[in-house]
Amino acid sequence: MAGAGALIQIGVVGCADIARKVSRAITLSPNATISAVASRSYDKAASFAADNSFPPTAKVYGSYEALLDDPDVDAVYMPLPTSLHLKWALLAATKKKHLLLEKPVALDVGEFDEIAEACEYNGLQFMDNTMWVHHPRTTAITHFLTDPHRFGLLKSVNSCFTFAADADYLKNNIRVKPNLDSLGSLGDVGWYCITASLLTANYELPKTVIASPEPVLNQDGVILECGASLYWEDGKVATFRCSFLANLTMDITAIGTKGNLHVHDFGIPFHEKEASFSAGTQTSFNDLATGWSSQPTKHTVKTHLPQEARLVTEFARLVGEIKYKNSKPEKKWPIISRKTQLVLDAVKTSIQRGCEPVQIQESGVKEFVAV
Amino acid sequence: MAGAGALIQIGVVGCADIARKVSRAITLSPNATISAVASRSYDKAASFAADNSFPPTAKVYGSYEALLDDPDVDAVYMPLPTSLHLKWALLAATKKKHLLLEKPVALDVGEFDEIAEACEYNGLQFMDNTMWVHHPRTTAITHFLTDPHRFGLLKSVNSCFTFAADADYLKNNIRVKPNLDSLGSLGDVGWYCITASLLTANYELPKTVIASPEPVLNQDGVILECGASLYWEDGKVATFRCSFLANLTMDITAIGTKGNLHVHDFGIPFHEKEASFSAGTQTSFNDLATGWSSQPTKHTVKTHLPQEARLVTEFARLVGEIKYKNSKPEKKWPIISRKTQLVLDAVKTSIQRGCEPVQIQESGVKEFVAV
């Protein structure tokens, strides 16, 4: 099991529900395999491995430390609550494990930088687990949005990611607990809206962020529902809304000077093997304005591998480049993650300040380490 | 030509481009006919009548006053620039003409009330020319939005109406001239976004309106592009964006506790004889969240008459009820128009105050006349 063709050995650190989906994705990926799983309880880890068809070679650990000490593990996928990311991500970096970290990456950009710098210092690939950007549909969308003839310049983008959490979720889920995932819906589903806003703006950071009035917090101060507007220097604007309290909806609507884009399932496509978007260019009414002479058209993109497996494949590819070819880690991924975290922080700060505008400082635009 | 079956005789006051569409709509309506047309120039009115296949019986006038003095005219359609509405609508009311008035109705709610009160005082039907609410698709949408099982309670709605005006429009159109249509894109396309926001909220007025930062004004102070957020007492929120500077886009995205709605051509349907919307109820992911187990579905509503002809038919029906059956004017339409104008005023005021929040006063909720 050595050489450029060998599978990247991934350890799963934590048995959260999302780890079921990602474990399947690792199994589906042609260049990765699950080599270990850890929980704070050995039994829980063993059950998880059995329930999720882990390969018989996968080792089971009753502690995260034990897995991180396993020399056969190249990289870890870490679906722990956000408040635990700093501790365990730093330890993973110390143990030279490449890191696929669940989003939101950190409680704030200060923590983010500690994690990303530890990965950088140790020559490790960092990637957050935002799956949708790895779908070939997203590539097609990006081509459309960056085409001066088909889309022109971005003017505005609205996105949303909401779902209706049930009573049990709103009482017991880690995402409503201030000591676990204190960023609540902003960190969970708002993260996607921010990635959508940034991707649509070609990853240019906004200048100003303003949270919408009257966010909904639970009794412990965790955000259950909020919105925000992002403003760029050139006048373009992004608005988004994220919520645990409204029916499942997951949209991007982007309007450019020459085109428009609609996506209704951007974070998780309706179907696993194909996904669609609607694109319009120089849409127009007919002469009497009794209908449209040019309207948006639907584009469908097929994918053999689901987006989460494409993410794992890309992560494992980069890990393999480092492991077998002595390459440097790909900085694109931590840079995108950091920008997302910066905007998320600004929204949170705006909420804390009564929805005052928050400036994103120019220094925030810089990469977190000198190249 | 008397009795309940007679056609309502409509005079067209002004030969704006939109009058071509509405003249066709009058012709298509089974209970109305064009009996006269007026322009400040006789030749222009005569050409307009010839170019738009007016019935040979239609009279041609070289002044608005002359048409308003014609005793055969029951009602007028008035597509004049907004700054002229007050003068001509009041004169029409004095002359006992029922009034179909182009939107935006007035420069502000003070003017609106003068017009609506003049109609009320003279027992005349008032209706503004917002066509889309007369489409049977809008009725189907309303049924969906008010269904506690399919949609639940409204949480948020985003709408937009943008189009890319060309250089000539941005220089010469009445909608960029401070002395003609000084409300610019807010009055023109923003009006529709406000109607969409109010319809979605079952015509409950919001409590607070906040314009988005950095609206785009031309050198004469006319709004070319702006956005706003509307906040209701119960926490629901509407956001919208209107623009003359972005590709033609016309959306409603409404999210309720149990459902969601998407419309991509709400103001003017893609096709004249049928229109669609997408409705989701308790949409959900599959177990592994690798796809959706329940997704929105498309609904298509056919209509024999285009929406603008349905509007005229409804207007003429109400006029006929008054003329032949001594009914009272239907108050629903001026009430909806007034609420739209109130919100529009609040957005404009917020823009003028540097995007400060503007409260919509409780008194504004009252009907403009005692019943």
Side-chain angles (χ1 to χ4, degrees):
Chain A
M1 290 291 276
L7 300 179
I8 297 302
Q9 308 286 311
I10 299 182
V12 176
V13 179
C15 299
D17 201 48
I18 182 70
R20 296 162 57 220
K21 179 175 179 175
V22 177
S23 295
R24 174 171 174 268
I26 298 168
T27 304
L28 288 172
S29 297
N31 58 350
T33 189
I34 301 174
S35 64
V37 57
S39 172
R40 286 170 299 173
S41 143
Y42 180 90
D43 288 349
K44 189 176 173 191
S47 295
F48 189 86
D51 291 346
N52 290 282
S53 311
F54 276 28
T57 50
K59 288 175 263 185
V60 174
Y61 292 108
S63 81
Y64 306 149
E65 294 93 334
L67 186 149
L68 295 177
D69 279 327
D70 182 339
D72 293 335
V73 170
D74 296 314
V76 290
Y77 164 59
M78 196 174 276
L80 301 174
T82 313
S83 61
L84 302 181
H85 284 189
L86 182 64
K87 172 181 174 181
W88 292 106
L90 291 185
L91 189 61
T94 307
K95 304 288 186 181
K96 311 290 186 197
K97 307 304 183 194
H98 301 277
L99 182 60
L100 174 60
L101 187 54
E102 199 45 74
K103 34 64 53 186
V105 172
L107 294 175
D108 57 44
V109 76
E111 283 195 359
F112 181 99
D113 285 349
E114 287 194 63
I115 294 169
E117 285 166 13
C119 290
E120 178 77 11
Y121 179 80
N122 289 288
L124 300 165
Q125 184 63 47
F126 171 91
M127 189 183 278
D128 80 50
N129 196 39
T130 307
M131 300 165 178
W132 75 280
V133 296
H134 297 270
H135 196 293
R137 171 177 66 174
T138 308
T139 309
I141 286 172
T142 302
H143 287 160
F144 174 70
L145 293 173
T146 54
D147 187 328
H149 304 295
R150 287 192 293 161
F151 187 74
L153 298 172
L154 177 67
K155 295 289 291 179
S156 62
V157 53
N158 178 257
S159 63
C160 61
F161 193 160
T162 65
F163 71 91
D166 62 20
D168 178 62
Y169 187 106
L170 291 174
K171 190 174 176 194
N172 298 317
N173 193 279
I174 59 166
R175 294 175 189 83
V176 301
K177 299 292 183 188
N179 59 331
L180 295 172
D181 268 319
S182 63
L183 296 168
S185 67
L186 176 62
D188 185 37
V189 285
W191 177 276
Y192 292 99
C193 298
I194 296 170
T195 61
S197 304
L198 287 172
L199 180 137
T200 310
N202 204 17
Y203 294 107
E204 184 191 344
L205 271 175
K207 184 180 64 170
T208 309
V209 171
I210 310 177
S212 303
E214 301 180 25
V216 180
L217 312 183
N218 71 8
Q219 60 188 13
D220 296 319
V222 176
I223 301 163
L224 302 181
E225 177 173 288
C226 69
S229 303
L230 322 181
Y231 297 92
W232 280 261
E233 202 104 45
D234 65 357
K236 62 180 175 270
V237 53
T239 50
F240 76 82
R241 189 117 194 123
C242 59
S243 178
F244 288 160
L245 308 174
N247 185 67
L248 176 60
T249 308
M250 198 191 267
D251 282 13
I252 301 173
T253 303
I255 310 178
T257 51
K258 293 191 181 168
N260 60 26
L261 169 82
H262 292 105
V263 194
H264 293 310
D265 56 351
F266 80 91
I268 296 178
F270 292 133
H271 307 290
E272 195 175 54
K273 300 228 166 162
E274 65 172 47
S276 299
F277 63 98
S278 155
T281 294
Q282 297 191 346
T283 48
S284 58
F285 296 137
N286 60 24
D287 174 50
L288 268 186
T290 56
W292 296 42
S293 54
S294 165
Q295 57 179 284
T297 53
K298 184 176 173 181
H299 300 255
T300 300
V301 179
K302 293 184 185 295
T303 181
H304 173 62
L305 282 179
Q307 60 183 10
E308 59 274 15
R310 293 179 66 101
L311 177 149
V312 170
T313 303
E314 172 65 2
F315 175 67
R317 183 185 73 78
L318 294 169
V319 171
E321 293 285 319
I322 298 165
K323 182 174 179 182
Y324 300 119
K325 299 184 185 169
N326 214 20
S327 297
K328 297 276 185 194
E330 170 60 74
K331 291 190 175 175
K332 169 184 166 185
W333 299 112
I335 288 171
I336 290 174
S337 301
R338 186 176 194 270
K339 289 182 176 182
T340 310
Q341 185 86 45
L342 269 175
V343 175
L344 189 153
D345 282 12
V347 176
K348 190 185 175 196
T349 301
S350 180
I351 289 172
Q352 289 170 333
R353 294 182 187 165
C355 303
E356 287 293 303
V358 172
Q359 307 301 319
I360 293 192
Q361 298 303 318
E362 187 58 31
S363 66
V365 179
K366 291 177 187 162
E367 296 179 15
F368 57 89
V369 287
V371 182
Chain B
M1 291 289 276
L7 299 179
I8 296 303
Q9 307 285 311
I10 299 182
V12 176
V13 179
C15 299
D17 200 47
I18 182 71
R20 297 162 57 220
K21 179 175 180 177
V22 177
S23 295
R24 174 172 173 268
I26 298 170
T27 304
L28 288 173
S29 296
N31 58 350
T33 189
I34 301 173
S35 66
V37 58
S39 172
R40 286 170 298 173
S41 145
Y42 179 90
D43 289 350
K44 188 176 175 191
S47 295
F48 188 86
D51 291 347
N52 290 282
S53 311
F54 276 27
T57 51
K59 288 175 264 187
V60 174
Y61 292 108
S63 82
Y64 305 150
E65 293 93 333
L67 186 149
L68 295 177
D69 279 328
D70 182 338
D72 293 336
V73 170
D74 296 315
V76 291
Y77 164 59
M78 195 173 276
L80 301 174
T82 313
S83 61
L84 302 179
H85 283 191
L86 182 64
K87 173 182 174 180
W88 293 105
L90 291 186
L91 189 62
T94 308
K95 304 289 186 181
K96 312 290 187 197
K97 306 304 184 195
H98 301 276
L99 183 59
L100 175 60
L101 187 55
E102 199 44 77
K103 35 63 51 185
V105 172
L107 293 176
D108 57 44
V109 76
E111 283 196 0
F112 182 99
D113 285 349
E114 287 194 62
I115 294 170
E117 285 166 13
C119 291
E120 178 76 12
Y121 179 80
N122 288 288
L124 299 165
Q125 184 63 48
F126 170 91
M127 189 183 277
D128 79 51
N129 196 39
T130 307
M131 300 164 178
W132 75 279
V133 296
H134 297 269
H135 197 292
R137 172 178 64 174
T138 308
T139 309
I141 285 172
T142 302
H143 286 160
F144 174 70
L145 292 172
T146 55
D147 186 327
H149 303 294
R150 288 192 293 161
F151 187 73
L153 299 172
L154 177 66
K155 294 290 291 180
S156 63
V157 53
N158 179 257
S159 63
C160 60
F161 192 160
T162 64
F163 70 90
D166 61 21
D168 178 62
Y169 186 107
L170 291 175
K171 190 175 175 192
N172 298 315
N173 193 279
I174 59 167
R175 294 176 189 82
V176 301
K177 299 292 182 186
N179 60 332
L180 295 172
D181 268 318
S182 61
L183 297 168
S185 68
L186 176 61
D188 185 37
V189 285
W191 177 276
Y192 291 98
C193 297
I194 296 170
T195 61
S197 304
L198 287 172
L199 180 138
T200 310
N202 204 16
Y203 293 108
E204 184 191 344
L205 273 174
K207 183 180 66 168
T208 308
V209 172
I210 311 178
S212 303
E214 302 181 25
V216 181
L217 312 183
N218 71 10
Q219 60 189 12
D220 297 319
V222 176
I223 301 162
L224 301 181
E225 177 172 289
C226 69
S229 302
L230 323 180
Y231 297 92
W232 281 261
E233 203 104 44
D234 65 357
K236 61 181 177 271
V237 54
T239 50
F240 75 82
R241 189 116 194 124
C242 58
S243 177
F244 289 160
L245 307 175
N247 186 65
L248 176 59
T249 308
M250 197 191 269
D251 281 14
I252 303 173
T253 303
I255 310 177
T257 49
K258 292 190 183 169
N260 60 25
L261 169 82
H262 291 105
V263 194
H264 293 311
D265 57 350
F266 81 91
I268 296 179
F270 292 134
H271 308 291
E272 195 175 53
K273 302 228 165 164
E274 65 172 47
S276 299
F277 63 98
S278 156
T281 294
Q282 297 190 345
T283 46
S284 58
F285 297 136
N286 61 23
D287 173 51
L288 267 186
T290 56
W292 296 41
S293 55
S294 165
Q295 56 178 284
T297 54
K298 185 176 173 180
H299 300 255
T300 300
V301 179
K302 293 184 185 297
T303 181
H304 174 61
L305 284 179
Q307 61 182 12
E308 58 274 15
R310 294 180 64 102
L311 177 150
V312 170
T313 304
E314 172 65 1
F315 176 66
R317 184 186 72 77
L318 294 169
V319 171
E321 293 284 320
I322 297 165
K323 182 175 180 183
Y324 299 119
K325 298 184 185 168
N326 215 21
S327 297
K328 297 276 185 195
E330 171 59 75
K331 292 189 175 174
K332 169 184 165 186
W333 298 113
I335 289 171
I336 289 174
S337 301
R338 186 176 195 272
K339 288 181 178 183
T340 311
Q341 185 83 48
L342 270 175
V343 174
L344 188 153
D345 282 12
V347 175
K348 189 184 174 197
T349 302
S350 179
I351 289 172
Q352 289 170 332
R353 294 182 187 165
C355 303
E356 286 294 303
V358 171
Q359 305 301 319
I360 293 192
Q361 298 302 318
E362 188 57 32
S363 66
V365 179
K366 291 177 188 161
E367 298 178 12
F368 56 89
V369 288
V371 182

